[in-house]
């Protein structure tokens, strides 16, 4: 990529985005006076605004670059990622969004601790939230380093590390200055840029083929080096063996169920004033995300047809290079610069959302509720949250530098698997099962988290996976002589999600504690009506 495009143009457009968004963040920060302002944007956003922000939070660089590249190289199997990510929102809409908004206040733990023993449940929820946020954050930060080589022509490791540090510093600045309001506006701007950029490229690609999708697909099939007719049917990536099919099933389960348990997505439901607006925001998000993933279908096959599979795989970012290379093919240096800026804006918006979620979880759940037992003043709580943002940012920068150049795809998969295993079963049990107990919640959350960590560490994504063509390691540990993998699947969701549901049930039915059915009934009324929603943790 260093001989494609003009890095100065890419950097200039990115700097322009940073200047504009910082001005917006500074303007939004003027009204940050209370804990509700910092954590939930004062609950001042409408459903459509929050829906656009959710799309901005959810559509990460992996969605834009990774899925377009997967479709370009693998065709139909790559598009299955888009389907999994989109279908996941139906779970969030039907089972979580409105009920969570009515029952909680700032974080997921508000809901889980409503009728269970508050301190142990809040601590477990905070550990799970921090784990998901850290893995997701680390993947985004390391991804920033990888994109540098692809988009800005900086091939040195030191140069990439500097960019990771810049991204981390900007993330800290956005959250410290703007809180949830500033972060939300950054996500709204980024979502508009991403959808507009992808939409323009989609129209451009279709125009090359007379707006005939069949001609586009035919060109992708006929392109030199492509997988041919296999691009149009299942099996190009996941049909080689029974294990690969199970891999896809496990990954799909984690994607579909994990979204409804991602803490930074759940926290967005608290930024709207009513449960009706929470529901509207998810509907808006579904439409925006749905259109975006349809765009990736055209962009992926367009990259396969116009750029070529071999060129994509030979670029520094491999499949992640498909969309930028297509942008350069279509619009030259300027369009490539815009797409470069959009990719970095995507990373910035996502890491800012993750940072404020992690800081809110520590300050609100651990510091205020567990350590101070609810006696801390809101101003002091927000001050701790701000300090936590700086710490999280520093850890993310260091972690991103160490992970730079590694296979970080497993970090995203792990974040979804942990969210689906540790968070979602406990949320659903809390909302819908009166006999659910504190012991069941702790078993489910800790069991889901630990089983994910153990199985991922024992899987081929960490050690033992070798490219059959080149003999190079495809695992996080690059030394091919190191192989301690015994778990065959690359994503543990197929095992850990049912296990977490089972542990939640087993812990509830075997302990001496009985489910608080009176509190469960009160929680049901509140979740359905929103009565007293703002005071969900004051009991």
């Amino acid at each position: 990529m260093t001989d494609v495009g003009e890095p100065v143009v890419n950097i200039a457009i990115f700097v322009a985005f940073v200047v504009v968004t910082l001005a917006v963040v500074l303007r939004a920060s003027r009204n940050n006076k209370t804990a509700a302002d910092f954590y939930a944007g004062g609950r001042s956003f409408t459903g459509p605004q929050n829906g656009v922000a959710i799309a901005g939070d959810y559509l990460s660089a992996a969605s834009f670059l990774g899925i377009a590249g997967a479709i370009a190289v693998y065709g139909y199997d790559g598009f299955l990622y888009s389907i999994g990510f989109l279908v996941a929102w139906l779970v969030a809409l039907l089972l979580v969004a409105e009920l969570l908004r009515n029952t909680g206040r700032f974080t997921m733990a508000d809901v889980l601790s409503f009728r269970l023993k508050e301190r142990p449940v809040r601590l477990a929820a905070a550990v799970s939230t921090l784990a998901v946020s850290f893995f997701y954050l680390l993947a985004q930060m390391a991804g920033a380093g990888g994109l540098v080589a692809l988009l800005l022509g900086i091939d040195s490791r030191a140069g990439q590390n500097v960019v990771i540090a810049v991204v981390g510093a900007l993330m800290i600045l956005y959250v410290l200055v703007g809180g949830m309001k500033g972060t939300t506006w950054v996500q709204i701007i980024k979502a508009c840029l991403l959808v507009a950029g992808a939409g323009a490229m989609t129209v451009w690609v279709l125009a090359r083929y007379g707006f005939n999708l069949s001609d586009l697909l035919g060109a992708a099939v006929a392109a030199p080096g492509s997988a041919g007719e296999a691009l149009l049917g299942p099996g190009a990536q996941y049909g080689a063996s029974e294990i690969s099919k199970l891999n896809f099933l496990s990954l799909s389960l984690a994607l579909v169920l994990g979204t409804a348990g991602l803490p930074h997505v759940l926290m967005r439901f608290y930024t709207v004033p009513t449960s009706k607006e929470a529901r509207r925001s998810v509907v808006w998000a579904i439409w925006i995300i749905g259109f975006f993933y349809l765009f990736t279908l055209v962009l992926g096959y367009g990259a396969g047809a116009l750029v070529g599979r071999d060129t994509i795989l030979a670029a520094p970012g491999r499949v992640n290079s498909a969309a930028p290379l297509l942008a350069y093919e279509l619009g030259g240096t300027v369009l490539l610069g815009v797409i470069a800026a959009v990719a970095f804006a995507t990373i910035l918006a996502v890491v800012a959302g993750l940072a404020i979620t992690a800081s809110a979880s520590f300050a609100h759940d651990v510091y205020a509720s567990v350590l101070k037992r609810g006696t801390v003043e809101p101003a002091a709580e927000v001050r701790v949250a701000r300090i936590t943002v700086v710490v999280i940012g520093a850890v993310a920068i260091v972690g991103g530098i160490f992970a730079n150049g590694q296979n970080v795809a497993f970090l995203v998969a792990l974040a979804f698997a942990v969210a689906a295993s540790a968070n979602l079963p406990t949320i659903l049990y809390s909302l819908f099962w009166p006999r659910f107990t504190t012991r069941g919640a702790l078993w489910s959350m800790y069991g889901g988290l630990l089983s994910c960590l153990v199985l991922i560490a024992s899987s081929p994504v960490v050690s033992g996976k070798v490219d059959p063509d080149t003999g190079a390691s495809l695992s996080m540990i690059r030394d091919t002589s190191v192989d301690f993998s015994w778990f065959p699947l690359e994503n543990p969701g197929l095992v850990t999600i049912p296990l977490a549901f089972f542990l939640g049930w087993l812990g509830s039915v075997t302990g001496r504690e009985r489910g608080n059915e009176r509190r469960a009934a009160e929680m049901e009324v509140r979740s359905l009506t929103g009565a007293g929603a703002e005071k969900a943790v004051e009991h």
Side-chain angles (χ1 to χ4, degrees):
M1 267 307 273
T2 54
D3 59 347
V4 176
E6 181 54 60
V8 175
V9 174
N10 301 346
I11 295 172
I13 297 175
F14 178 58
V15 169
F17 167 82
V18 171
V19 170
V20 171
T21 50
L22 278 177
V24 172
V25 166
L26 285 169
R27 184 178 178 85
S29 68
R30 295 175 183 173
N31 298 322
N32 272 347
K33 299 175 182 177
T34 67
D37 289 331
F38 186 80
Y39 292 142
R43 297 186 174 85
S44 59
F45 291 96
T46 65
Q49 287 174 333
N50 193 44
V52 177
I54 287 174
D57 209 358
Y58 189 67
L59 296 173
S60 65
S63 294
F64 180 44
L65 302 176
I67 293 178
I71 294 171
V73 175
Y74 302 111
Y76 181 95
D77 280 11
F79 188 56
L80 291 175
Y81 280 95
S82 297
I83 296 172
F85 279 125
L86 181 58
V87 170
W89 279 102
L90 296 178
V91 179
L93 173 64
L94 298 175
L95 296 179
V96 174
E98 183 178 356
L99 304 179
L100 200 77
R101 168 62 188 83
N102 283 342
T103 314
R105 189 180 180 192
F106 295 139
T107 65
M108 174 184 73
D110 290 342
V111 178
L112 304 184
S113 65
F114 185 87
R115 61 186 181 90
L116 305 175
K117 293 179 181 177
E118 185 170 7
R119 296 182 73 205
V121 170
R122 280 193 182 277
L123 185 60
V127 169
S128 174
T129 295
L130 291 170
V132 175
S133 299
F134 177 72
F135 292 129
Y136 217 120
L137 197 57
L138 195 58
Q140 296 294 323
M141 298 291 283
L147 284 174
V148 171
L150 181 65
L151 300 173
L152 303 184
I154 302 174
D155 293 325
S156 70
R157 184 67 177 253
Q160 294 178 26
N161 292 346
V162 169
V163 171
I164 290 175
V166 169
V167 170
L170 285 172
M171 169 192 76
I172 294 169
L173 185 62
Y174 281 148
V175 178
L176 284 183
V177 174
M180 180 57 88
K181 282 184 180 178
T183 300
T184 299
W185 283 112
V186 170
Q187 289 163 344
I188 289 173
I189 294 170
K190 167 254 172 165
C192 293
L193 283 174
L194 182 61
V195 174
M201 286 177 63
T202 297
V203 172
W204 209 325
V205 169
L206 288 174
R208 288 280 190 102
Y209 297 95
F211 292 95
N212 189 319
L213 186 60
S214 294
D215 289 349
L216 170 60
L217 297 178
V221 168
S226 81
E229 293 289 340
L231 287 176
L232 304 182
Q237 184 176 9
Y238 293 108
S241 65
E242 292 303 317
I243 286 295
S244 67
K245 293 175 183 177
L246 285 176
N247 263 331
F248 175 70
L249 180 61
S250 189
L251 176 63
S252 299
L253 197 62
L255 295 183
V256 170
L257 297 180
T259 297
L262 288 175
H264 65 291
V265 170
L266 297 177
M267 195 169 172
R268 293 232 53 89
F269 299 141
Y270 297 123
T271 63
V272 291
T274 65
S275 60
K276 179 182 177 182
E277 292 299 303
R279 191 167 62 248
R280 286 183 69 202
S281 64
V282 177
V283 173
W284 271 77
I286 288 174
W287 278 105
I288 294 169
I289 293 166
F291 274 113
F292 175 80
Y293 284 138
L294 288 177
F295 294 159
T296 62
L297 181 67
V298 175
L299 296 179
Y301 280 112
L306 296 172
V307 178
R309 184 177 190 269
D310 294 341
T311 304
I312 292 169
L313 293 179
R318 291 179 63 83
V319 295
N320 290 333
S321 65
L325 286 172
L326 177 62
Y328 185 74
E329 180 72 26
L330 293 172
T333 300
V334 174
L335 185 58
L336 177 64
V338 171
I339 296 306
V342 168
F344 276 98
T346 296
I347 290 175
L348 269 177
V350 173
V351 297
L354 289 165
I356 196 167
T357 300
S359 67
S361 181
F362 179 82
H364 182 63
D365 297 326
V366 178
Y367 176 75
S369 299
V370 176
L371 298 179
K372 295 295 184 179
R373 298 178 180 267
T375 60
V376 67
E377 291 294 321
E381 184 180 320
V382 171
R383 186 166 61 250
V384 170
R386 292 180 186 276
I387 295 171
T388 307
V389 167
V390 177
V391 174
I392 289 170
V395 171
I397 290 170
V398 174
I401 289 173
F402 276 102
N404 186 19
Q406 298 279 9
N407 175 10
V408 296
F410 80 96
L411 291 170
V412 176
L414 179 56
F416 273 87
V418 171
S421 303
N423 294 347
L424 187 63
T426 313
I427 291 171
L428 294 181
Y429 278 143
S430 295
L431 291 172
F432 298 110
W433 189 28
R435 292 181 58 197
F436 192 49
T437 66
T438 302
R439 182 180 182 182
L442 297 179
W443 282 22
S444 180
M445 283 190 281
Y446 286 129
L449 175 60
L450 291 175
S451 61
C452 278
L453 294 176
V454 170
L455 294 184
I456 278 286
S458 308
S459 73
V461 297
V462 173
S463 68
K465 187 177 182 181
V466 178
D467 189 324
D469 297 324
T470 64
S473 173
L474 298 177
S475 301
M476 183 180 179
I477 297 176
R478 296 298 187 182
D479 188 347
T480 55
S481 64
V482 177
D483 181 7
F484 49 81
S485 63
W486 55 265
F487 183 67
L489 302 182
E490 294 179 19
N491 188 289
L494 194 61
V495 174
T496 58
I497 296 171
L499 175 64
F501 273 102
F502 172 74
L503 289 174
W505 170 82
L506 185 65
S508 297
V509 299
T510 57
R512 294 182 179 180
E513 176 193 3
R514 297 186 63 183
N516 190 332
E517 296 188 9
R518 184 186 64 80
R519 295 291 294 171
E522 182 182 340
M523 184 176 183
E524 182 180 12
V525 171
R526 179 169 291 179
S527 68
L528 295 175
T529 66
E534 299 279 328
K535 300 180 180 179
V537 295
E538 297 178 12
H539 62 269

